[in-house]
Amino acid sequence: MSADQARNAVGPTYGEQEPGEQRSGEQGAGKQDLDGQESGEQGAGKQDLDGKESGKPESGEQGSGNQGSGKQDGETRKTVWVALGANLGIAVAKAVGGAIAGSPALLSEAAHSVADSLNEVFLLASLRRSERPADPLHPFGYGKERFFWSLLAAVGIFVTGGCFSFLQGIEAFRSEESESLGGYVVGLVVLVVALLAEGTSLLRALSQVRAQAKTHHRSTLHEIKVNDDPTLRTVLAEDSTACLGVLLAILGMALHMATGNGVYEAWASLLIGALLVYVAYILGKSARAQLIGEAAAPEMQQEIRDFLDGRPEVDAVTAAMTMRLGPDSVMLAARVDLVAGLDSEEVEEALVRTKQELRERWPELDQLFLDVTDASVADRVRARRARKDLDDVVEERRQTDAV
């Protein structure tokens, strides 16, 4: 069908109607609001600005697909609290032990635990703030708060943990002070206790990841790679790094104790700093990509394209763009060319039905925009090229996961 016919039927962007607005009675061309949208829909039910039918449950209600995400957020909050409690206690113990023993590696680990504690506070704030409902100033909600606070956590790991560890390591190379036997014992005891506490927190995070992997029918390792929750990913990275950092500190202190040479602790401190900087870089890179507008997983994009291409009313899909608005929220903006011969009511019913089925299959698609267009030859060529690129990315990811 032509683009003019489609726009007369449903407006430039379909289905995002002001809540409570009644149909004006015009048919065919349809009365449109300031957004270029129809003021009502016939036979399909009113729709609100979020692209949801007014008869459908709102975000967070049963049936919206977010009830499970609410439970998941509760589990994540428990995981963060466990990590916060462990890190606060460990930070105090490491600082006192490091001061008594005069150990640069132990002081580096104390800075690491302080950074982790601050990060847990950031992550708890992100969980609370991201749950705020959408408002006129933020019509897509506050889901990206998670990404912002995750970025701050990465900066905290880099500055408070990584940089301080490097300074401690450099200072240790210059220092010629020797530790007492009592200092060695205190430091090693503190590190062993810290390892047990960090290990407990890590097991809690891994338990949550395994539960999610079971729900998604994926392996635990694959779930860690593809998990979209920056809060859980940050806690998992912090706990894993903390356990490895404690082991490095124990090794450095043990070698210092055995040889009497403090260079081993200095190197341990530098290695801990390098480890923290690397983790901060990885977390920061991920948060940056999500903040500036990261698309949904390529596999999900491919499945959505397949679904739209398979609709009998769709002649061509010229674009299907996605963007993550939060760990459990995705926006889809698609341009489709419909088959010729459909009247205005058939177009409207087809698009409403398509949106309903999209939400049923992918509950996280809580923002849907379908734009009917008259695809040119150039549009179809670009669409085929984009689809080939997407298929190549998906295949490459499958081969990487299989290795």
Side-chain angles (χ1 to χ4, degrees), residues 104-266:
L106 193 52
L107 289 174
S108 296
E109 274 300 299
H112 181 184
S113 295
V114 169
D116 286 351
S117 299
L118 291 175
N119 292 340
E120 259 82 67
V121 174
F122 289 158
L123 298 178
L124 287 172
S126 77
L127 287 170
R128 182 176 182 82
R129 294 178 65 85
S130 66
E131 292 172 350
R132 290 179 295 171
D135 56 41
L137 294 179
H138 299 85
F140 295 111
Y142 290 82
K144 287 194 174 186
E145 286 269 11
R146 299 272 193 101
F147 309 145
F148 170 74
W149 290 98
S150 178
L151 179 61
L152 288 188
V155 174
I157 292 174
F158 177 82
V159 176
T160 310
C163 293
F164 184 82
S165 295
F166 278 122
L167 290 175
Q168 282 295 311
I170 294 171
E171 183 64 26
F173 277 114
R174 298 174 179 175
S175 176
E176 296 181 358
E177 295 181 4
S178 61
E179 297 179 29
S180 65
L181 179 61
Y184 286 126
V185 173
V186 170
L188 290 174
V189 168
V190 169
L191 288 174
V192 170
V193 173
L195 182 61
L196 292 175
E198 296 285 11
T200 300
S201 180
L202 177 59
L203 288 176
R204 164 67 196 185
L206 287 174
S207 176
Q208 183 179 346
V209 172
R210 281 196 296 266
Q212 293 182 10
K214 185 177 181 181
T215 301
H216 299 148
H217 306 289
R218 295 192 287 241
S219 67
T220 302
L221 182 59
H222 186 57
E223 181 67 28
I224 292 174
K225 290 181 179 180
V226 302
N227 192 283
D228 295 311
D229 187 349
T231 305
L232 178 59
R233 187 171 57 246
T234 300
V235 172
L236 191 61
E238 286 179 350
D239 289 343
S240 302
T241 307
C243 289
L244 185 54
V246 170
L247 290 175
L248 288 172
I250 290 176
L251 179 62
M253 288 193 71
L255 290 173
H256 187 180
M257 183 177 182
T259 65
N261 190 347
V263 72
Y264 293 107
E265 279 200 74

Side-chain angles (χ1 to χ4, degrees), residues 10 14 41-44 311 313 343-356:
V10 297
Y14 173 79
E41 263 115 44
Q42 183 178 15
R311 303 294 297 175
E313 305 91 351
D343 60 31
S344 61
E345 290 189 4
E346 289 175 326
V347 169
E348 193 169 354
E349 291 173 1
L351 293 178
V352 170
R353 186 168 58 252
T354 298
K355 294 177 75 172
Q356 289 174 341

Side-chain angles (χ1 to χ4, degrees), residues 29-41:
K31 185 177 179 180
Q32 297 181 338
D33 60 18
L34 291 177
D35 292 325
Q37 296 155 345
E38 272 194 295
S39 61
E41 263 115 44

Side-chain angles (χ1 to χ4, degrees), residues 275-286:
L275 179 63
L276 292 175
V277 168
Y278 174 73
V279 170
Y281 168 74
I282 296 299
L283 292 176
K285 181 180 178 182
S286 175

